[in-house]
Amino acid sequence: MTGIANITDPQALTIHFGASDFTGKYRMVVENFAQWQASNGRVHSIDLQYAKQVVLNPDTSTASATRMR
């Protein structure tokens, strides 16, 4: 998937799929990730553990580093 770093990258994406429907949730991430990132900036983690709810946590490390300069 474009834009998702690998596990060794310090900016890797964490995805919490929960205990059920992995295939459907994975498909949702593949189909929507680019839109989520375009709307919200760099995404640090995605939580799909809750029924019919997607929780996006933005990456604030870039913003924090910029403010500290």
Side-chain angles (χ1 to χ4, degrees):
M1 291 186 291
T2 303
I4 297 180
N6 69 39
I7 195 70
T8 60
D9 190 318
Q11 295 182 344
L13 174 69
T14 302
I15 304 174
H16 303 277
F17 287 100
S20 63
D21 191 25
F22 173 81
T23 304
K25 291 175 181 178
Y26 181 80
R27 185 174 296 127
M28 182 184 349
V29 170
V30 170
E31 292 172 356
N32 295 291
F33 182 76
Q35 179 183 351
W36 294 337
Q37 190 150 328
S39 299
N40 299 286
R42 174 133 172 70
V43 176
H44 175 69
S45 67
I46 301 172
D47 193 341
L48 302 170
Q49 299 179 76
Y50 308 104
K52 299 181 182 181
Q53 182 178 6
V54 175
V55 179
L56 298 175
N57 297 304
D59 182 0
T60 58
S61 63
T62 304
S64 297
T66 303
R67 278 182 271 168
M68 294 178 78
R69 289 183 188 179

